[in-house]
Amino acid sequence: MKTNNKLGTAVVTGASSGLGKVFAERLAKKGYDLKLVARREEKLVELAEQLTSKYGVTVTNLVADLGAPADLERVATNIQNDENITILINNAGTSTLAPSTQTSVAKQKEMIDVNITSLMLLSNAVLPGFIARNEGTLINIGSVLGAFTLPISSVYSGTKGFVVQYTRGLQEEVKGTNIKVQLVNPSITATEIWEVGGVPLSALDQAAIMTTEDCVDAALAGLAAGELATFPSVHNQELIDAYEDARIKLFTGSQTGKPAERYLQN
Ligand code: NAP
């Protein structure tokens, strides 16, 4: 059923803490109704009450473990059938930071289930509606580790590499429409993910840590500016342009059909 809110409803996954909580606050302030997704019901209830009383918007909580297939399907079906949805922010994510040989298979799979599978299936859930209505915004939260790997981030970086390439592909798919697909690649941001992942924020270079508010505001400024990929903490735009240029040149340079001379030994 169509609501009276002209801005529509924004879905924010991982809204119980960190970046998702700030995205939810910023969108409520703009006047969007919200659907908030996470496992910790009490955190969602508290946030929903705050946002409803402060901004007068309608907030619905979808308590779900996005790593559990039945929960994920329930959320996907809910948002697929909701014609009010104008924004999906695929923000929920998890990390275990340790060498892969010292990370349980369960933890490795959890990263793939939450960071990859849920992001993909929830994108699938909203995009047909966006295409039919020729409007909508999908924001996928990647990471600078989508293009870089530390010895403790093989699996996490792998999942974010998926987010980067998948989101780039979706951007190509919706080219020429009114639909916006934004990739956001934060660097270190002061959230629970570090403690949960096994690396306390206190162990990091304090000068390299961004606040959640700065990160989200930069992401939303990038969206408003029409950016396809936003790197909140990268000051030098030339670095971003050079990376983009190199990735296109490398692909183009691979379309030769012949082994490179350095591999012709005889
Ligand atoms: P966070 O504070 O730990 O928040 C993660 C959110 O994801 C929480 O709301 C959590 O909610 C939710 N979540 C985790 N597992 C879930 C599951 N199985 N089902 C449903 N929800 C789940 O971390 P954050 O830094 O804000 O993370 C947000 C996004 O930013 C992630 O995609 C992360 O990879 C990305 N990122 C973060 C940084 C950084 O330095 N913080 C840098 C680059 C990218 P519940 O626990 O209540 O379920």
Side-chain angles (χ1 to χ4, degrees):
M1 210 178 53
K2 202 84 182 131
T3 67
N4 290 329
N5 189 331
K6 287 205 175 68
L7 290 173
T9 301
V11 181
V12 183
T13 71
S16 61
S17 65
L19 296 172
K21 193 174 171 183
V22 181
F23 270 119
E25 198 273 334
R26 295 300 194 256
L27 293 172
K29 193 173 180 184
K30 286 178 196 278
Y32 287 87
D33 289 330
L34 292 170
K35 283 190 171 177
L36 306 179
V37 187
R39 291 167 300 184
R40 284 173 292 176
E41 187 170 12
E42 69 289 354
K43 299 258 182 202
L44 292 186
V45 169
E46 192 187 337
L47 180 62
E49 281 172 5
Q50 269 176 24
L51 299 180
T52 305
S53 69
K54 193 162 177 195
Y55 301 115
V57 295
T58 302
V59 183
T60 307
N61 291 332
L62 302 175
V63 177
D65 179 351
L66 293 174
D71 278 16
L72 175 56
E73 197 179 326
R74 175 168 51 82
V75 174
T77 304
N78 181 298
I79 64 175
Q80 185 170 9
N81 294 330
D82 187 346
E83 58 182 331
N84 298 296
I85 289 169
T86 48
I87 301 183
L88 167 62
I89 306 183
N90 270 316
N91 163 80
T94 188
S95 78
T96 298
L97 294 172
S100 60
T101 50
Q102 293 165 35
T103 306
S104 69
V105 172
K107 285 287 178 197
Q108 296 189 37
K109 283 187 70 182
E110 186 188 5
M111 285 185 264
I112 289 173
D113 292 343
V114 179
N115 302 0
I116 295 181
T117 308
S118 84
L119 177 135
M120 182 182 72
L121 295 188
L122 297 183
S123 301
N124 286 349
V126 297
L127 279 171
F130 286 0
I131 290 166
R133 298 188 289 276
N134 195 25
E135 69 161 0
T137 299
L138 172 65
I139 302 175
N140 285 341
I141 309 300
S143 168
V144 290
L145 286 177
F148 195 81
T149 312
L150 302 163
I152 55 167
S153 77
S154 309
V155 180
Y156 179 75
S157 288
T159 65
K160 291 299 180 178
F162 175 89
V163 177
V164 169
Q165 297 309 331
Y166 173 69
T167 307
R168 288 306 213 170
L170 294 183
Q171 289 169 348
E172 294 298 320
E173 291 181 31
V174 301
K175 225 176 201 169
T177 73
N178 274 337
I179 299 157
K180 293 179 187 168
V181 177
Q182 183 197 22
L183 168 69
V184 178
N185 290 326
S187 185
I188 305 170
T189 313
T191 73
E192 292 173 8
I193 204 168
W194 289 94
E195 202 74 47
V196 172
V199 176
L201 277 165
S202 57
L204 304 174
D205 174 4
Q206 298 301 295
I209 303 175
M210 189 178 281
T211 67
T212 50
E213 289 80 6
D214 280 352
C215 186
V216 168
D217 290 339
L220 292 174
L223 179 73
E227 283 186 357
L228 294 176
T230 297
F231 292 80
S233 62
V234 176
H235 287 232
N236 185 351
Q237 178 67 37
E238 285 175 13
L239 287 178
I240 298 170
D241 297 343
Y243 183 70
E244 181 67 7
D245 189 45
R247 125 190 135 84
I248 293 166
K249 281 188 181 144
L250 182 60
F251 175 75
T252 310
S254 72
Q255 306 302 294
T256 67
K258 294 187 182 65
E261 276 180 22
R262 65 188 174 278
Y263 304 123
L264 302 175
Q265 312 257 321
N266 303 324

